[in-house]
Amino acid sequence: MSQLDKKAGLLRRTSSSKKTLKEKVVLMYDEIFSKEDPAKNAPRFWDELFLMKVNLEYLELKLESVDEEVQHSQANINALFHYCIQALGEEHPIKVVNALQTLCALFRGVHQKNRSASGFDIINLLMGFDKAEQRMKDLMERLDSLLCGEGSESLKSLCLKLMLCLVTVTDNISQNTILEYVMINSIFEAILRILSDVSSKHLHGYDPVVLLALLVNYRKYESVNPYIVKLSIVDDEPTLDGMGMVIQQALTEYNRQFRDKQEETQGGFFSTLTSMVGSMFIADADEKLSVQTNEAILLALYEAVHLNRNFITVLAQVRSNIANSSTMLETILSLCRVVMNNPELPLDPNLQTTNLLITFLKYASILMQDTKDEHRLNSARLCLIILTCIAEDQYANAFLHDDNINFRVNLHKMVNLMVEFIVTHMMKDFPMDLYLRCVQIIHKLLCYQKKCRIRLHYTWRELWSALINLVKFLLSNETTLLVKHNIFHLALLVVNLFNMFITYGDTFLPSSNSYDELYYEIVRMHQVFDNLYCMVLRVSTNTGQWKEAASKVTYALVNIRAIINHFNPKIESYTALNHISQLSEEQVLEVVRSNYDTLTLKLQDGLDQFERYSEQPKEAAFFKELVRSISLNVRKNVSLNTMSQDVLLKEFSTIS
Amino acid sequence: MEDTELEISPAPSDQNSPSLSISSSSSPSVSLPSTPSSSCGSTQPVAPLLGVINEGVCELSLVIDAEVAQRACHEVLQKVKLQQVGSDDVTDLHEQTDPVVPGGPSGPIAAEEEAKPEGLVPGTVKSTRRRQKHNPSKQSWLLRLFESKLFDVAMAISYLHNSKEPGVQAYIGNRLFSFSHEEVDFYLPQLLNMYIHMDEDVGDAIKPYVVHRCRQSISFSLQCAWLLGAYSSDMHISTQRHSRGTKLRKLILSDELKPVGARARREALTLTPFCPALPHSTATTAASGSLVPDHGLSPSKRTHQRSKSDATVSISLSSNLKRTASNPKVESSQDEDSSSSSDSLEFETGPPVRLAPQREFIKSLMGIGKRLATLPTKEQKTQRLISELSLLNHKLPGRVWLPTAAFDHHVVRVPHTQAVVLNSKDKAPYLIYVEVLECENFETSSVPIRIPENRIRSTRSVENLPDCGMTAEQRAGSFSVVPNYDNDDEAWSVDDIGELQVELPELHASSCDNISQFSVDSITSLESKEPIFIAAGDIRRRLSEQLAQAPTTFRRDPEDPSAVALKEPWEEKVRRIREASPYGHLPHWRLLSVIVKCGDDLRQELLASQVLQQLQSIWQQERVPLWIRPYKILVLSSDSGMIEPVVNAVSLHQVKKQSQLSLLDYFLQEHGATTSENFLSAQRNFVQSCAGYSLICYLLQVKDRHNGNILLDSEGHIIHIDFGFILSSSPKNLGFETSAFKLTAEFVDVMGGPDGDMFNYYKMLMLQGLIAARKHMDRVLQIVEIMQQGTQLPCFHGSSTMRQLKERFHMSLTEEQLQLLIHQLVDGSMRSLTTKLYDGFQYLTNGIM
């Protein structure tokens, strides 16, 4: 009764003053942005403030509109910031929630307003220069204890959102000066803890991983980033596992979506129509979005693979989805109260028998199907960079090549993926960069196999014919391609792959037949190599930009030409001798086998040497752009998520 | 006091009184310090006795202990006499001849038995005893037998089983204490089966010993609990006896049976948390003198034998207790102790910490087996198994061990990628390899510290990233830009190449004439621009040579993943796993393997294994060179258990399928030509093992002898496995396999044909083996007979199992007749059509060649 009365009274007063109806919290915000200390008249002002439901939009708007009065309202904003941090220590979860959201709004509002302002000004406006260090230390400590504490998972989730919000307020993460405090007061351990905790990692989704990936990229090249240092030495298995699991989930989800969509399109006419219509509006947007969101996930995967040597084991480890799916089921059950009486589910063979690497390879192959879109191209590039790192790491190789692991499909898949890529991307808009990476990955794998004498049971013929086709393509599009790319470099790499097989085939080919087949393939396609030789000879004799690059190819072709010149006459004479017009493959192989001994090859230097991947000068620009794009995307999505978080917390408030 | 009460009370009501009187009368004689405990425990009749005897064991050497026990036995027997005659006439206690007491062997016969060193067979004793029912002077002779040196565990078990006298049973119950643990452990299934299924007197006689041993040892406790559970399973739930077995099981599993010291210590702990080791160690040093307080504080260096280490057990156990206790003061007060045991990851469980880790470990292994059984294909099973084991790895190391192993150890890691699912139609038995660290005593030695899987590299990363510590403080003051840190190349790549190239020559030292060596050289000396020429023919030749050199491994077959894993020589596997293991560098590192069976009843296997062990020891004793290989069986319940795999052995089925050769040709391929030493020794091994197993198959009527159940090891021995169908049971009752044992033409070929010397040697061995077995028939029969009690096992189906088994020893035949019998058996088996039929049947139904 009394409450009703109060409400009525309130209404009457506002209506009489003919003002628009305002929430109490809004009024309080207004007070903050006035000149006076709001607590002067109402000593419990700050206490009350955090009991109110936050009005994010209004607060942000208010912050944006602050301009000239910055000077006098700064004290109040500082105070608000201070009390927010204080409120984080409160026992009442509602206050903590509100404080977190207020902080979110503060960070965002201030940055939106002062886009051009220097980081120092922003810090001054929010916390005041003299107190900034202490304030941020407090904030980080509070967040740390919230994240590590026993508290509610949604609180932790909100903490992560706040961090994501803070990390992404600027387009260029390295210009976000506040992060310097985040570097000093590291919350790395807290993030890891969340990742290692089986029960919580499913609830927070990708946030902790994305946050980590972003923090690692803060002033990566300019200063010592403690997150890089720490990430590189993590060796706690559950944590790394947890990280791998989150990444795998994200990629699996994308793969699943893709498969579903494919199945849909394979359906009847009607379903194709509806899906077309549907995809015009929803699916397409969805899909684009998820490629973009996955950029962050891929970045996280890259950083983990690149920085942390222990992560490699996680990559190749057989993931036990049983445990995950069951715990996931539990959480789903507890959250949605959906009864899933499908006992078959955790035993779905597709679900269990996978590991992160396989999932990643699947993802990469889907991604590479279409690289026209810039995001997809970037993602594909990142995928190839990750694969390069994997192919270079001797431990990863040891895992991939381990003969005693009972199912060893990874390596086949990896080579298959490369072959698939080579075959499918010979187009006008030639992705030279991707091709180079792709061929280099194969080269690195071969180098490892040669070193360790591992014989992969792979039908290398597929690779050979793909490579020959690539050369063919380069030749026929020479003029158009030369405008943009140095095709001789790629040609050199391809020819050297052949040289690897020719000179070191004894160390890694699976059977003696495959060595014969190599010769057969070269002899069969000798036209292509002849043409290539003519072309590079022509270019290298002319003076020009490509003279040197082309002459390298000329030199590299020496053994292939020797083979062609050796066997072609032999085959011709065999044909003439036996009066056969067309030799069968078996007959050619016979000729090859019987004429090895008279063939002398030249040993070329450095075939098994390769340039090692280094992020620093070469890829820095790419990563900078990538991080920028991820920041924008995360910022956009975090706001949405905070709103849904709001809904969740409403429920939360009624419980407590 | 109690003695007098005893004499007055009527005989049937005081089943426990004899033991009570032992404790009260024996303790003063040894002058133990703990006499009060025997009087305070009077609420539960068994406890005081245990208290006394337990401490007797810890404090006195085994010799004295035996004396105590014997003294006690002495008195029991006298008490028995007393009871028999007590009602009408009180005879002199020390009178040696008592006319009324039945069950004692007569003088002349006992003397005869003593004169004959090994002829002392329980069966004959039993019969003589029956004969002696009417003979007056005997009691002392039985006692003399019991006290003689010849009285061994086998006899004790036999008397325990056959005697109806509570006094004799109680005596033997006490005598058990004087035997060595290993001897009694062999008969543990028999003891427990008697405890469950025989009358109360036997149970009461056995229980003190079992309880005592449970207090001493965790593994014994668990072993008992598992066996009790397994052997109780055939009973009706309603029966009262049933509850006796399960009651004891519950008592053990509730972990009430801690060492007495530990219980005392727990109290001490709560009182004086800051010097917890003191009260206990003074108590024990007072008694034994062998324990210095230092020992309690540093559990890592420990040198006493297991029997004496009770005190140290209690110390490390109490540190377990302390961890579960919520008192933080206690926790912080003894960091030394806690670091030894709580550093490692033990399974987090409820209060009974003593047994929990191991039970949890076994439970998860069983759980995996159950889940595997639901998967349709072998490939899926294998993959699932591997992923499940990788999860299990996260919980290791802990205070867990493989009960099938012969030495004390802690399990540190399960190399999950090595595990394989074994061939089975509808169940999913699987084989895992387990890395363990040998230790002196798994109960007291500290659990090894976890080493992360990928530790190999973390050391280097730490070196390379020195600034992680400074960042926070040093950068706090200013925003100055620190010079570029990201020196990628240096941090990651350079020494990788170095490592690789250093490693390689070692790995492939055998093939150093290859071109890769060449190229490494040429890289270093780039100045010499002279082109090096190589012949294509050489490359091709090297390729085919190297491929041919590759060892004869089995092809990987997704349908039969175990074949490859089992073919790999054990030493090689150990070396390989050791190299890859983060624990491999530790000197106590060992590799074990175990087959986990889920859904199979291993009780018959256990029985068969006991018989095999018994026969093996008989043959050893009689110096007959028959070769058999009993393997350890661990019964966990009536439908699960573990089996110790036979290393370096593959089944005949796998041999034939993979090699596509006849057995003789396979021998030739593996061991060389028929005249080579290798082949000859392999052939001899084959013959000796064939003879051994032929006899066993005949005696035990082992059926289901298809080639999947017969292994061939790398030395040529055959080893029979899977004793699921023995004695009265046979697969599907199809009536196949009517021959005595499996002897195919292929086997005979390996022995050099039916006319060869080796084949005669085979028959001769069988004859010798049968004669030796016959001589000690009772030792074999006894094992089987006791297990027949209260069981529903199919091998005991029907009433004539024991009689038929006995008949197969052919006691009545002369040696010449026996020789004839062997000839007949061998001939019959060789010509047996059913064997061939059965192999064909197996091929059709199970795909076993």
Side-chain angles (χ1 to χ4, degrees), chain B residues 57-322:
Chain B
V57 169
C58 333
E59 289 147 20
L60 303 163
S61 78
L62 210 69
V63 189
I64 304 174
D65 186 44
E67 269 177 32
V68 173
Q70 286 195 359
R71 205 188 304 258
C73 301
H74 210 112
E75 280 167 42
V76 171
L77 281 173
Q78 286 166 350
K79 212 102 294 156
V80 172
K81 283 187 275 177
L82 207 73
Q83 282 165 34
Q84 304 290 335
V85 291
S87 49
D88 41 63
D89 186 31
V90 182
T91 4
D92 184 10
L93 281 181
H94 300 287
E95 199 187 295
Q96 293 291 306
T97 48
D98 190 321
V100 197
V101 180
S106 75
I109 285 185
E112 205 180 278
E113 280 164 351
E114 268 175 62
K116 197 167 73 180
E118 284 139 3
L120 197 72
V121 244
T124 51
V125 172
K126 189 184 167 191
S127 55
T128 49
R129 207 183 52 188
R130 217 175 290 128
R131 244 185 293 151
Q132 289 307 317
K133 280 250 170 176
H134 312 288
N135 193 324
S137 68
K138 64 263 73 175
Q139 174 61 43
S140 66
W141 289 109
L142 180 60
L143 184 61
R144 228 196 260 178
L145 165 68
F146 286 172
E147 285 177 356
S148 81
K149 284 200 183 92
L150 296 169
F151 188 70
D152 62 5
V153 188
M155 275 187 247
I157 299 291
S158 159
Y159 272 97
L160 202 55
H161 183 231
N162 293 332
S163 168
K164 294 245 159 46
E165 299 301 326
V168 171
Q169 289 162 349
Y171 171 87
I172 292 173
N174 282 315
R175 257 315 283 271
L176 288 176
F177 285 93
S178 65
F179 295 120
S180 81
H181 289 173
E182 289 71 29
E183 282 181 300
V184 183
D185 283 349
F186 178 78
Y187 288 101
L188 188 59
Q190 277 71 24
L191 270 182
L192 293 176
N193 203 44
M194 284 195 274
Y195 178 79
I196 297 166
H197 296 290
M198 284 177 68
D199 53 46
E200 236 160 275
D201 292 326
V202 179
D204 289 338
I206 296 169
K207 191 174 178 187
Y209 180 78
V210 172
V211 169
H212 167 69
R213 288 286 307 278
C214 283
R215 277 190 205 284
Q216 278 189 331
S217 151
I218 299 176
S219 71
F220 187 86
S221 304
L222 287 172
Q223 187 88 34
C224 283
W226 289 326
L227 288 174
L228 284 170
Y231 290 117
S232 302
S233 62
D234 283 344
M235 307 176 91
H236 285 294
I237 296 164
S238 53
T239 35
Q240 207 248 317
R241 282 175 181 170
H242 172 73
S243 67
R244 184 161 55 148
T246 35
K247 241 190 247 163
L248 181 58
R249 181 165 178 268
K250 268 184 202 149
L251 177 71
I252 295 171
L253 290 182
S254 70
D255 215 20
E256 284 290 299
L257 301 178
K258 287 194 182 68
V260 187
R263 205 189 294 146
R265 239 175 77 72
R266 184 202 254 155
E267 284 150 24
L269 250 176
T270 48
L271 292 173
T272 54
F274 288 98
C275 49
L278 212 72
H280 181 70
S281 54
T282 47
T284 45
T285 40
S288 67
S290 72
L291 276 174
V292 210
D294 285 20
H295 269 128
L297 288 175
S298 60
S300 51
K301 50 163 191 180
R302 194 172 297 104
T303 48
H304 2 274
Q305 296 147 6
R306 204 193 292 187
S307 59
K308 286 185 180 174
S309 63
D310 235 11
T312 37
V313 173
S314 67
I315 283 160
S316 76
L317 284 171
S318 69
S319 68
N320 276 338
L321 283 176
K322 173 205 65 209

Side-chain angles (χ1 to χ4, degrees), chain A residues 489-557:
Chain A
H489 184 45
L490 181 59
L492 181 67
L493 287 173
V494 170
V495 170
N496 273 340
L497 276 187
F498 277 103
N499 283 330
M500 276 291 279
F501 280 105
I502 293 167
T503 29
Y504 301 124
D506 56 331
T507 56
F508 61 85
L509 281 176
S511 66
S512 20
N513 265 351
S514 53
Y515 195 67
D516 306 337
E517 279 168 14
L518 171 68
Y519 279 60
Y520 171 79
E521 204 67 20
I522 292 173
V523 173
R524 188 171 70 93
M525 301 302 283
H526 67 93
Q527 204 76 49
V528 178
F529 292 105
D530 289 344
N531 292 343
L532 179 65
Y533 184 70
C534 291
M535 195 265 273
V536 290
L537 202 63
R538 169 169 48 84
V539 176
S540 62
T541 45
N542 295 339
T543 46
Q545 189 187 358
W546 309 114
K547 183 176 161 66
E548 201 168 326
S551 67
K552 273 187 193 161
V553 183
T554 329
Y555 176 74
L557 275 168

Side-chain angles (χ1 to χ4, degrees), chain B residues 466-478:
Chain B
D467 355 33
C468 44
M470 53 81 75
T471 48
E473 280 77 34
Q474 294 200 349
R475 280 154 41 87
S478 65

Side-chain angles (χ1 to χ4, degrees), chain A residues 373-599:
Chain A
D373 171 43
E374 202 202 331
H375 283 291
R376 295 186 69 116
L377 185 69
N378 279 341
S379 292
R381 177 171 295 144
L382 189 51
C383 283
L384 286 171
I385 291 177
I386 294 171
L387 283 173
T388 308
C389 290
I390 293 171
E392 253 179 44
D393 187 291
Q394 66 152 315
Y395 284 97
N397 268 316
F399 267 113
L400 291 174
H401 289 86
D402 190 348
D403 203 32
N404 290 296
I405 290 176
N406 271 316
F407 37 100
R408 182 172 44 108
V409 278
N410 301 348
L411 206 58
H412 288 260
K413 282 203 176 157
M414 203 154 147
V415 182
N416 267 337
L417 179 65
M418 296 300 108
V419 171
E420 188 187 308
F421 179 85
I422 292 174
V423 175
T424 52
H425 286 75
M426 299 184 218
M427 49 199 181
K428 267 244 171 70
D429 193 10
F430 190 73
M432 179 58 107
D433 175 57
L434 302 189
Y435 265 101
L436 285 175
R437 291 181 197 281
C438 187
V439 174
Q440 277 166 340
I441 288 169
I442 297 170
H443 184 224
K444 282 167 186 171
L445 288 177
L446 287 184
C447 288
Y448 181 83
Q449 289 171 12
K450 181 214 151 225
K451 271 176 190 155
C452 297
R453 305 186 160 244
I454 287 160
R455 300 176 192 278
L456 181 67
H457 287 267
Y458 183 79
T459 40
W460 290 108
R461 217 174 175 161
E462 286 168 33
L463 174 68
W464 298 328
S465 68
L467 290 174
I468 291 173
N469 281 330
L470 176 60
V471 173
K472 219 193 227 167
F473 176 81
L474 292 180
L475 287 172
S476 52
N477 296 283
E478 181 199 338
T479 38
T480 45
L481 289 175
L482 263 181
V483 180
K484 280 196 233 160
H485 309 288
N486 176 0
I487 58 166
F488 300 103
H489 184 45
L490 181 59
L492 181 67
L493 287 173
V494 170
V495 170
N496 273 340
L497 276 187
F498 277 103
N499 283 330
M500 276 291 279
F501 280 105
I502 293 167
T503 29
Y504 301 124
D506 56 331
T507 56
F508 61 85
L509 281 176
S511 66
S512 20
N513 265 351
S514 53
Y515 195 67
D516 306 337
E517 279 168 14
L518 171 68
Y519 279 60
Y520 171 79
E521 204 67 20
I522 292 173
V523 173
R524 188 171 70 93
M525 301 302 283
H526 67 93
Q527 204 76 49
V528 178
F529 292 105
D530 289 344
N531 292 343
L532 179 65
Y533 184 70
C534 291
M535 195 265 273
V536 290
L537 202 63
R538 169 169 48 84
V539 176
S540 62
T541 45
N542 295 339
T543 46
Q545 189 187 358
W546 309 114
K547 183 176 161 66
E548 201 168 326
S551 67
K552 273 187 193 161
V553 183
T554 329
Y555 176 74
L557 275 168
V558 84
N559 278 338
I560 293 180
R561 293 192 59 244
I563 290 169
I564 293 169
N565 293 336
H566 179 74
F567 286 108
N568 262 345
K570 301 272 189 298
I571 289 168
E572 273 159 27
S573 64
Y574 183 90
T575 320
L577 205 71
N578 293 297
H579 309 290
I580 314 165
S581 57
Q582 195 75 40
L583 287 186
S584 71
E585 181 178 335
E586 203 36 60
Q587 285 164 324
V588 177
L589 285 173
E590 193 45 53
V591 176
V592 167
R593 263 182 223 122
S594 48
N595 288 292
Y596 274 125
D597 282 327
T598 41
L599 172 65

Side-chain angles (χ1 to χ4, degrees), chain A residues 120 123 133 177 180-181 183-184 218-226 228-230 232-233 235 237-238 240-241 306-314 317-323 346-347 349 352-353 392-396 399 402-408 448 450-453 455 501-516 519 593 596-597 599-606 608-609 612-616, chain B residues 371 374-375 379-380 382-384 386-388 390-391 393-394 416-420 450-458 460-462 465-473 475-486 488-489 491-497 499-501 503-504 507-508 511 514-520 522-523 526 528-529 531-544 546-547 556 561 568 576:
Chain A
F120 299 98
I123 291 172
E133 212 161 287
T177 323
E180 200 63 34
Y181 295 110
M183 294 295 130
I184 296 166
Y218 171 75
R219 288 161 71 88
K220 203 185 205 178
Y221 309 111
E222 295 98 50
S223 70
V224 180
N225 180 329
I228 294 184
V229 178
K230 284 179 176 168
S232 68
I233 55 173
D235 61 355
E237 268 177 78
L240 293 174
D241 251 13
H306 179 231
L307 290 174
N308 191 305
R309 332 199 91 203
N310 303 323
F311 192 77
I312 296 290
T313 52
V314 175
Q317 204 172 54
V318 188
R319 180 126 352 266
S320 28
N321 272 334
I322 326 104
L347 296 175
Q352 317 151 17
T353 59
E392 253 179 44
D393 187 291
Q394 66 152 315
Y395 284 97
F399 267 113
D402 190 348
D403 203 32
N404 290 296
I405 290 176
N406 271 316
F407 37 100
R408 182 172 44 108
Y448 181 83
K450 181 214 151 225
K451 271 176 190 155
C452 297
R453 305 186 160 244
R455 300 176 192 278
F501 280 105
I502 293 167
T503 29
Y504 301 124
D506 56 331
T507 56
F508 61 85
L509 281 176
S511 66
S512 20
N513 265 351
S514 53
Y515 195 67
D516 306 337
Y519 279 60
R593 263 182 223 122
Y596 274 125
D597 282 327
L599 172 65
T600 311
L601 299 172
K602 208 165 161 191
L603 186 65
Q604 285 152 317
D605 287 328
D608 52 351
Q609 305 295 302
R612 296 192 70 87
Y613 170 78
S614 83
E615 185 179 322
Q616 236 281 268
Chain B
R371 287 190 288 273
T374 56
L375 294 174
E379 189 134 37
Q380 279 175 27
T382 307
Q383 292 176 358
R384 175 73 170 263
I386 288 170
S387 55
E388 290 250 19
S390 77
L391 264 190
N393 247 340
H394 285 292
H416 50 271
T417 51
Q418 308 301 323
V420 282
R450 179 180 179 81
I451 308 173
E453 198 79 348
N454 28 43
R455 193 187 47 89
I456 341 149
R457 298 184 271 153
S458 57
R460 241 167 45 78
S461 333
V462 174
L465 302 162
D467 355 33
C468 44
M470 53 81 75
T471 48
E473 280 77 34
R475 280 154 41 87
S478 65
F479 281 126
S480 68
V481 176
V482 187
N484 176 23
Y485 167 73
D486 194 27
D488 241 323
D489 300 317
W492 302 130
S493 40
V494 179
D495 23 337
D496 274 4
I497 302 171
E499 276 170 30
L500 263 177
Q501 285 173 349
E503 267 171 33
L504 275 164
L507 272 173
H508 307 285
S511 54
N514 56 51
I515 202 75
S516 31
Q517 225 68 19
F518 228 163
S519 68
V520 172
S522 69
I523 294 159
L526 263 175
S528 58
K529 276 287 177 187
I532 303 162
F533 291 101
I534 43 172
D538 288 347
I539 299 174
R540 175 63 163 58
R541 217 166 292 128
R542 267 199 302 270
L543 175 60
S544 42
Q546 281 173 12
L547 285 169
R556 199 168 287 282
E568 185 180 12
R576 189 167 53 75

Side-chain angles (χ1 to χ4, degrees), chain A residues 176-220:
Chain A
N176 189 348
T177 323
I178 300 180
L179 289 187
E180 200 63 34
Y181 295 110
V182 181
M183 294 295 130
I184 296 166
N185 306 295
S186 164
I187 54 159
F188 182 78
E189 282 74 19
I191 300 174
L192 284 202
R193 209 179 145 128
I194 292 222
L195 281 173
S196 65
D197 187 357
V198 184
S199 61
S200 62
K201 77 188 148 209
H202 300 293
L203 294 171
H204 304 303
Y206 319 135
D207 288 352
V209 169
V210 171
L211 178 60
L212 200 58
L214 286 171
L215 283 173
V216 163
N217 276 283
Y218 171 75
R219 288 161 71 88
K220 203 185 205 178

